[in-house]
Amino acid sequence: MAAELDLACAEEGTGPEGEKLPSTLVKDIRQQLFRLRDLSLNLHVIRSAQTDLHCVAARAGFTFHFLSREYLLRLAFAVVFFLLAAYVNSLASVIAGYRTPWVVVKDLDGNLLDTSTLPDIGHDLSSALVTSLGFEVHEVTKWLEVNGSLIPDALVHFMVACTGIFIFAHPKRFQIIRRVLMILAFVFLLRALCVFVTQLPDAHPKCQAQFTSATGSYKRRPMFPHAFYRAWLVLWHPDKHITCGDMVFSGHTSVLMQCAMVVWHYCRLEELPGGPVFTKPMQILTCNRFALTERFCTLVRAATILYTAIAAILIIATRLHYTLDVALAVYLNSRSFRWYHDAASYEKLKRRKSIFLLGYGSVMQWLEAEEVIAAEAASLEVVCNSAAAPVQNTVDKSSTQEICRKRT
């Protein structure tokens, strides 16, 4: 108000007591007052934007509770442990590439067969399907020698990208990241052990071609220390450096299954208080008619399972893995995911001795300690309070209030 009065006086060319002011001074005063008014408006806009950001952060679950030393330490441990396990898995796959055998298959009469892989039902069915569609099996094999790994890699990349968006938009994103990284680390270490101890004949045509082409010249060179560098390349560019002999069990299927289990477990209304962040664009596109319901979550889970099943079948059909590799990956990943989440929910299971996480429950108790659970509960409470505020929600209000009431 004072700035407006001063501006009115400056426009009239008079001072506070009505005296006449020089024109140059009046001009300077006007410029300063205009700047003060613009600054006041900018501060108002900044405060309004800050308030809106606080509301968005509260609804999204980005709260200060996750900045505690105890929480960040456990999250950092999960990231480091996952990276180490991923490198060990890559190293085991590279070692398997050096040791994978060149197998010659004969029939009962001792005649050589036109194959050098183990018998597999999935491969037989895919070959029969290719023949029934009018394609030549050897032509398809030649195509797979060049492009066979593109299809599984593309399927995994798309699944990881979609799951990453889902995790980022989820109110429990940090809990999901910590748990999934620990589970994947365990799975990678188990896979590294299986790959290291036994090398089966690789079923992929590109790996079979390495025995008769220059691409397999590395097999005749000393394994170490070049294997350490090659493992690093495989870790950061797995789609550009194919590994051979690492059959049991499938790494592609493992990643697909972990992504599918994340969506299956966390895409439920009881796990989404207030709704995820990505529902806002859906609400805008549908003119505020979109609401996150249990039926929608069920459709998302069903689509995820269907996509994972098709991807697993294509991994077998492209001969990237045997059917046994994919089946074991499906079982081990689903069970490890369920085991970790069951153990994290019950105190008795946290203290039990297990082969998981170095043999004892102390690591599990530390990762899922009371202060960690308390920080996540406090953040969810903020999300619930924000979702219950008088704003336009992307999830049914009755569902949100019921979820929050159960959690409190």
Side-chain angles (χ1 to χ4, degrees), residues 148-166:
S149 61
L150 295 180
I151 296 176
D153 289 343
L155 293 171
V156 172
H157 289 165
F158 180 77
M159 186 68 164
V160 170
C162 292
T163 308
I165 295 173
F166 173 78

Side-chain angles (χ1 to χ4, degrees), residues 2-16 18-35 37:
E4 294 177 357
L5 291 175
D6 292 341
L7 183 60
C9 293
E11 290 176 351
E12 295 177 0
T14 60
E19 69 274 12
K20 195 70 174 178
L21 298 176
S23 60
T24 56
L25 181 60
V26 171
K27 184 178 180 180
D28 292 339
I29 293 175
R30 285 177 179 175
Q31 291 179 353
Q32 295 298 328
L33 289 176
F34 276 122
R35 290 175 183 174
R37 187 175 65 176

Side-chain angles (χ1 to χ4, degrees), residues 31-196:
Q31 291 179 353
Q32 295 298 328
L33 289 176
F34 276 122
R35 290 175 183 174
L36 288 175
R37 187 175 65 176
D38 293 341
L39 181 60
S40 177
L41 291 175
N42 291 335
L43 289 175
H44 177 73
V45 172
I46 291 173
R47 290 194 185 99
S48 178
Q50 186 179 13
T51 303
D52 294 339
L53 285 175
H54 280 301
C55 294
V56 172
R59 287 181 57 79
F62 288 107
T63 63
F64 68 92
H65 303 91
F66 297 117
L67 299 178
S68 64
R69 178 179 177 274
E70 292 77 10
Y71 201 93
L72 292 178
L73 184 61
R74 287 161 174 81
L75 189 61
F77 175 81
V79 172
V80 173
F81 185 50
F82 167 76
L83 292 176
L84 290 176
Y87 179 77
V88 172
N89 176 61
S90 298
L91 182 60
S93 298
V94 169
I95 294 174
Y98 281 91
R99 292 170 51 83
T100 181
W102 188 2
V103 176
V104 176
V105 181
K106 298 182 180 181
D107 60 13
L108 296 178
D109 298 325
N111 301 318
L112 292 177
L113 298 178
D114 188 21
T115 181
S116 55
T117 62
L118 301 178
D120 187 85
I121 294 295
H123 295 170
D124 295 341
L125 292 177
S126 61
S127 298
L129 179 61
V130 167
T131 303
S132 64
L133 293 176
F135 297 99
E136 294 292 336
V137 175
H138 68 276
E139 294 293 336
V140 175
T141 302
K142 289 182 179 179
W143 184 86
L144 290 176
E145 288 183 8
V146 181
N147 306 304
S149 61
L150 295 180
I151 296 176
D153 289 343
L155 293 171
V156 172
H157 289 165
F158 180 77
M159 186 68 164
V160 170
C162 292
T163 308
I165 295 173
F166 173 78
I167 293 175
F168 178 78
H170 203 285
K172 295 183 177 181
R173 63 185 61 81
F174 295 114
Q175 180 189 95
I176 300 174
I177 292 173
R178 185 185 72 251
R179 292 181 174 180
V180 170
L181 289 181
M182 292 302 301
I183 297 170
L184 271 175
F186 164 73
V187 171
F188 283 165
L189 290 177
L190 181 60
R191 182 177 184 271
L193 177 63
C194 296
V195 169
F196 178 75

Side-chain angles (χ1 to χ4, degrees), residues 118-302:
L118 301 178
D120 187 85
I121 294 295
H123 295 170
D124 295 341
L125 292 177
S126 61
S127 298
L129 179 61
V130 167
T131 303
S132 64
L133 293 176
F135 297 99
E136 294 292 336
V137 175
H138 68 276
E139 294 293 336
V140 175
T141 302
K142 289 182 179 179
W143 184 86
L144 290 176
E145 288 183 8
V146 181
N147 306 304
S149 61
L150 295 180
I151 296 176
D153 289 343
L155 293 171
V156 172
H157 289 165
F158 180 77
M159 186 68 164
V160 170
C162 292
T163 308
I165 295 173
F166 173 78
I167 293 175
F168 178 78
H170 203 285
K172 295 183 177 181
R173 63 185 61 81
F174 295 114
Q175 180 189 95
I176 300 174
I177 292 173
R178 185 185 72 251
R179 292 181 174 180
V180 170
L181 289 181
M182 292 302 301
I183 297 170
L184 271 175
F186 164 73
V187 171
F188 283 165
L189 290 177
L190 181 60
R191 182 177 184 271
L193 177 63
C194 296
V195 169
F196 178 75
V197 297
T198 303
Q199 289 79 42
L200 298 180
D202 203 297
H204 199 273
K206 182 176 289 188
C207 289
Q208 291 294 325
Q210 286 187 352
F211 293 106
T212 57
S213 64
T215 58
S217 59
Y218 70 93
K219 297 176 180 290
R220 294 172 173 82
R221 295 195 295 265
M223 184 183 305
F224 296 104
H226 183 70
F228 294 108
Y229 175 70
R230 187 176 175 85
W232 180 262
L233 296 178
V234 171
L235 177 62
W236 294 110
H237 301 285
D239 54 338
K240 297 181 180 179
H241 299 83
I242 188 172
T243 57
C244 299
D246 52 339
M247 293 285 98
V248 180
F249 48 92
S250 172
H252 285 71
T253 309
S254 297
V255 176
L256 287 170
M257 279 301 300
Q258 289 300 323
C259 293
M261 292 300 294
V262 167
V263 177
W264 178 264
H265 183 83
Y266 289 99
C267 188
R268 303 172 186 269
L269 280 187
E270 62 183 10
E271 300 287 342
L272 290 164
V277 180
F278 60 74
T279 54
K280 187 62 176 177
M282 294 291 294
Q283 192 182 31
I284 295 174
L285 292 175
T286 58
C287 299
N288 297 328
R289 289 193 296 267
F290 176 79
L292 185 64
T293 61
E294 189 60 45
R295 181 182 180 183
F296 178 80
C297 293
T298 302
L299 291 176
V300 172
R301 296 197 303 271

